[in-house]
């Protein structure tokens, strides 16, 4: 057997594998004998089928399988021995000029295209500067959070007259251009949340209504042409909702209002557990701490996003793009040319980040331990629970959930990559200069829109 590499350029190479009959004959003979021992063929006792009979019936398919196994082993061993860092997986080159008899005496030649990882340097220091945001908890943000919590634990009432943030349970009927009800048009009874109405004039027209009141309702304008929301309210598909231009007759069937919970001991106990908070001042302090923790996480996420872009802009290198596109197509037959073209730029950015992160990990002897992965899983699970209840689950339960979650290989791989990426960010934060800027929550929110 002979294996060699021909570099096309710094990012592309072809690996050539020549296999002679003596390289595969012993493997094929063994596979045929193993098959003979297991075969159940009419006219022969189990385990007594002659190897020659198996060879005659299944020889070529066994030969193909063993050649493929030999190729896989040989290629993987070669890549490891040569310490070649390849991107994607080797792709076999189809050579229409070569034809084989598959008669157990052929000499084979196989060629594989490989995409090579580029060489680059990683050099960060205090000269690299990035903004780090310290978000202040202002009174407006605190009041909004407290109001949301009070509504979450409030009670539903049915007032006589609608007000802001109420929910109208209403019948909607499609109107003709002349304002009459369109016969055979779209009709549905659904809930219309006033807090989701984006047009202020339309929202004002829905405030002050009573049961059985009727108003004209421009549903597209009300929800800023959000097809998904319009479709959900009218129970139509999104394509129809996108093209819909009609106004609707809205008839109020009922008014629902979620009254805010009182700031009493029962409410405090529901939020933080019995006796943890006993006064409104303590409650506000606890909510402020919770918001500060959330904002630290938001600021850190913002920093990570800016660091991601900064690193990719500073460390610039090429990838074997054409090879990677062929590899993506080969490994996902359903991937259309349009999807490949539209999604490749993001794929390439993420791949570059992975390569840079791997180099930082290697060059600085950074370890990702099981404890790091477990802590990351626990943080993700804890965050999910807190979406439904501010009360934390016990450490014992959290640990059990995390261990069970990581038993799934796909989950474990994803969390490992997140933990590794966090290690990279922590390293970068330790070497670059972070210029702290104090900012209000409202100002911070606007940064995400710019």
């Amino acid at each position: 057997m002979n294996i060699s590499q021909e570099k096309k350029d710094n990012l592309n190479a072809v690996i050539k594998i020549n296999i002679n009959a003596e390289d595969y004959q012993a493997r094929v003979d063994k596979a045929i004998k193993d098959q003979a021992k297991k075969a159940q063929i009419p006219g022969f006792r189990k385990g007594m089928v002659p190897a020659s009979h198996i060879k005659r019936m299944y020889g070529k398919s066994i030969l193909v399988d063993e050649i493929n196994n030999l190729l896989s082993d040989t290629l993987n061993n070669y890549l490891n021995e040569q310490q070649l860092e390849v991107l994607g997986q080797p792709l076999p080159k189809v050579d229409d000029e070569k034809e084989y008899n598959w008669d157990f005496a052929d000499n084979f030649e196989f060629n594989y295209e490989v995409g090579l990882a580029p060489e680059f340097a990683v050099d960060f220091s205090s000269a690299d500067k990035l903004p780090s945001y310290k978000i202040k908890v202002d009174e407006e943000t605190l009041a909004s959070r407290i109001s949301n919590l009070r509504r979450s634990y409030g009670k539903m009432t049915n007032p006589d007259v609608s007000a802001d943030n109420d929910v109208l349970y209403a019948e909607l009927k499609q109107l003709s251009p002349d304002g009459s009800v369109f016969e055979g048009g779209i009709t549905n009874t659904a809930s219309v949340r006033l807090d989701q109405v984006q047009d202020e004039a339309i929202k004002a027209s829905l405030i002050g209504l009573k049961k059985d009141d009727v108003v004209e309702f421009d549903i597209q304008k009300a929800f800023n042409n959000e097809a998904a929301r319009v479709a959900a309210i009218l129970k139509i598909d999104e394509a129809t909702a996108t093209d819909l231009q009609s106004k609707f007759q809205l008839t109020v069937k009922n008014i629902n209002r979620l009254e805010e919970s009182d700031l009493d001991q029962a409410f405090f106990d529901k939020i933080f557990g019995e006796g943890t908070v006993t006064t409104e001042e303590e409650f506000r302090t606890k909510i402020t701490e919770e918001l500060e923790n959330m904002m630290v996480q938001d600021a850190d996420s913002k920093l990570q996003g800016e660091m991601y872009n900064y690193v990719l802009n500073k460390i610039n290198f090429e990838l074997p793009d054409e090879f990677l596109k062929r590899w993506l197509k080969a490994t996902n037959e359903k991937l259309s040319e349009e999807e490949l073209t539209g999604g490749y730029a993001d794929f390439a950015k993420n791949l570059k980040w992975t390569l840079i992160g791997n180099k930082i990990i290697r060059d600085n002897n950074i370890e990702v331990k099981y404890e790091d992965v477990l802590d990351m899983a626990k943080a993700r699970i804890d965050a999910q629970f807190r979406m439904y209840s501010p009360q934390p689950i016990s450490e014992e339960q959290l640990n059990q959930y995390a261990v069970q979650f990581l038993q799934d290989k796909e989950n474990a791989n994803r969390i490992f990559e997140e933990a590794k990426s966090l290690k990279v960010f922590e390293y970068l934060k330790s070497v670059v200069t972070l210029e702290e800027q104090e900012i209000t929550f409202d100002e911070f929110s606007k940064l995400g829109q710019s």
Side-chain angles (χ1 to χ4, degrees):
M1 184 186 303
N2 182 51
I3 183 166
S4 60
Q5 176 192 165
E6 179 188 352
K7 289 193 78 170
K8 299 296 184 182
D9 52 45
N10 290 333
L11 299 173
N12 295 276
V14 174
I15 295 175
K16 181 183 295 185
I17 303 175
N18 293 102
I19 298 177
N20 300 321
E22 58 267 25
D23 297 320
Y24 61 80
Q25 195 63 61
R27 295 175 67 124
V28 173
D29 289 344
K30 183 179 182 302
I32 289 173
K33 289 176 182 177
D34 289 343
Q35 182 68 22
K37 293 175 184 177
K38 297 181 290 184
Q40 291 181 302
I41 298 176
F44 297 96
R45 283 183 294 167
K46 184 177 179 181
M48 299 301 289
V49 182
S52 58
H53 192 72
I54 294 295
K55 185 174 182 179
R56 188 166 57 251
M57 293 181 67
Y58 307 114
K60 283 195 176 181
S61 64
I62 292 175
L63 175 62
V64 170
D65 287 343
E66 290 305 313
I67 291 291
N68 283 332
N69 292 336
L70 180 59
L71 279 171
S72 178
D73 293 343
T74 302
L75 189 56
N76 288 332
N77 289 337
Y78 178 79
L79 295 177
N80 289 330
E81 289 167 3
Q82 298 296 313
Q83 296 184 327
L84 290 178
E85 188 177 359
V86 299
L87 303 179
Q89 296 164 324
L91 290 178
K93 283 188 72 175
V94 178
D95 190 342
D96 295 328
E97 295 181 4
K98 289 187 174 66
E99 293 185 4
Y100 301 109
N101 296 321
W102 298 94
D103 59 2
F104 302 91
D106 277 333
N107 294 328
F108 298 96
E109 180 183 300
F110 298 96
N111 295 302
Y112 289 87
E113 294 178 283
V114 292
L116 303 175
E119 293 184 5
F120 56 90
V122 174
D123 181 24
F124 290 99
S125 68
S126 58
D128 297 289
K129 299 178 181 181
L130 286 164
S132 175
Y133 300 102
K134 183 179 181 181
I135 309 169
K136 296 183 294 184
V137 178
D138 53 44
E139 189 59 37
E140 182 182 352
T141 305
L142 179 60
S144 175
R145 176 59 178 161
I146 291 174
S147 177
N148 287 337
L149 283 172
R150 293 178 69 182
R151 285 170 63 84
S152 297
Y153 289 86
K155 60 181 179 179
M156 190 67 72
T157 61
N158 302 111
D160 293 330
V161 181
S162 65
D164 196 9
N165 293 322
D166 284 349
V167 179
L168 301 181
Y169 187 66
E171 182 182 47
L172 297 161
K173 292 183 177 180
Q174 189 176 7
L175 297 177
S176 300
D178 63 5
S180 62
V181 174
F182 179 43
E183 187 176 348
I186 299 168
T187 301
N188 191 45
T189 302
S191 295
V192 178
R193 288 177 52 178
L194 298 196
D195 64 332
Q196 292 180 347
V197 175
Q198 298 182 41
D199 185 275
E200 292 301 323
I202 293 177
K203 181 186 285 189
S205 73
L206 300 177
I207 293 173
L209 298 181
K210 298 178 181 178
K211 186 177 179 179
D212 297 325
D213 279 354
V214 179
V215 295
E216 187 176 271
F217 183 53
D218 188 339
I219 192 168
Q220 292 285 28
K221 190 175 181 182
F223 299 109
N224 197 28
N225 299 303
E226 288 185 26
R229 197 177 299 280
V230 172
I233 291 174
L234 297 177
K235 284 194 176 177
I236 58 177
D237 60 71
E238 288 193 29
T240 303
T242 300
D243 297 333
L244 185 67
Q245 297 182 6
S246 304
K247 294 182 180 180
F248 282 75
Q249 175 184 283
L250 183 151
T251 304
V252 179
K253 296 297 182 183
N254 204 359
I255 301 168
N256 298 318
R257 178 176 300 165
L258 188 61
E259 298 281 3
E260 291 187 353
S261 173
D262 293 330
L263 287 171
D264 55 17
Q265 192 60 48
F267 174 64
F268 299 152
D269 289 347
K270 287 177 184 176
I271 299 291
F272 295 109
E274 188 174 350
T276 304
V277 168
T278 57
T279 67
E280 184 175 338
E281 184 181 359
E282 289 178 357
F283 172 74
R284 289 174 64 86
T285 300
K286 277 278 191 182
I287 298 301
T288 301
E289 290 173 357
E290 177 195 87
L291 286 171
E292 285 174 345
N293 289 333
M294 290 170 55
M295 289 177 180
V296 167
Q297 294 174 15
D298 291 343
D300 208 42
S301 295
K302 176 71 173 175
L303 174 61
Q304 288 183 12
E306 293 188 351
M307 194 173 282
Y308 174 88
N309 291 323
Y310 182 85
V311 169
L312 289 178
N313 287 330
K314 178 172 180 174
I315 303 177
N316 192 24
F317 52 80
E318 297 298 319
L319 293 173
D321 295 314
E322 293 309 312
F323 168 82
L324 288 171
K325 289 176 183 177
R326 290 198 301 275
W327 172 70
L328 288 169
K329 287 283 285 182
T331 53
N332 187 354
E333 294 179 356
K334 294 182 180 179
L335 185 67
S336 68
E337 199 63 39
E338 184 179 358
E339 289 171 328
L340 178 62
T341 302
Y344 183 76
D346 284 338
F347 167 81
K349 280 180 68 175
N350 289 330
L351 178 56
K352 286 181 177 181
W353 171 259
T354 299
L355 292 172
I356 294 169
N358 288 344
K359 184 170 177 59
I360 288 174
I361 292 282
R362 284 195 309 270
D363 290 353
N364 295 279
N365 298 314
I366 298 172
E367 288 185 273
V368 182
K369 299 177 181 177
Y370 175 75
E371 290 77 12
D372 300 318
V373 178
L374 183 63
D375 287 344
M376 178 68 74
K378 287 162 66 175
R380 293 288 175 265
I381 293 169
D382 185 53
Q384 287 183 331
F385 273 99
R386 287 180 184 273
M387 289 173 62
Y388 303 102
S389 172
Q391 295 185 40
I393 62 175
S394 70
E395 181 65 23
E396 183 180 358
Q397 278 185 305
L398 191 57
N399 200 69
Q400 288 176 350
Y401 288 137
V403 170
Q404 186 177 2
F405 179 77
L406 292 173
Q407 287 175 354
D408 182 282
K409 187 176 180 180
E410 188 174 323
N411 290 338
N413 288 338
R414 178 167 54 83
I415 296 297
F416 174 83
E417 289 301 322
E418 286 186 31
K420 185 174 76 173
S421 193
L422 184 62
K423 291 274 188 179
V424 172
F425 282 121
E426 291 300 325
Y427 166 78
L428 290 169
K429 284 164 64 175
S430 72
V431 295
V432 304
T433 298
L434 299 179
E435 299 179 322
E436 188 175 282
Q437 300 177 20
E438 197 169 84
I439 191 171
T440 67
F441 181 73
D442 184 56
E443 291 170 334
F444 180 78
S445 299
K446 289 176 181 176
L447 287 176
Q449 301 169 9
S450 60

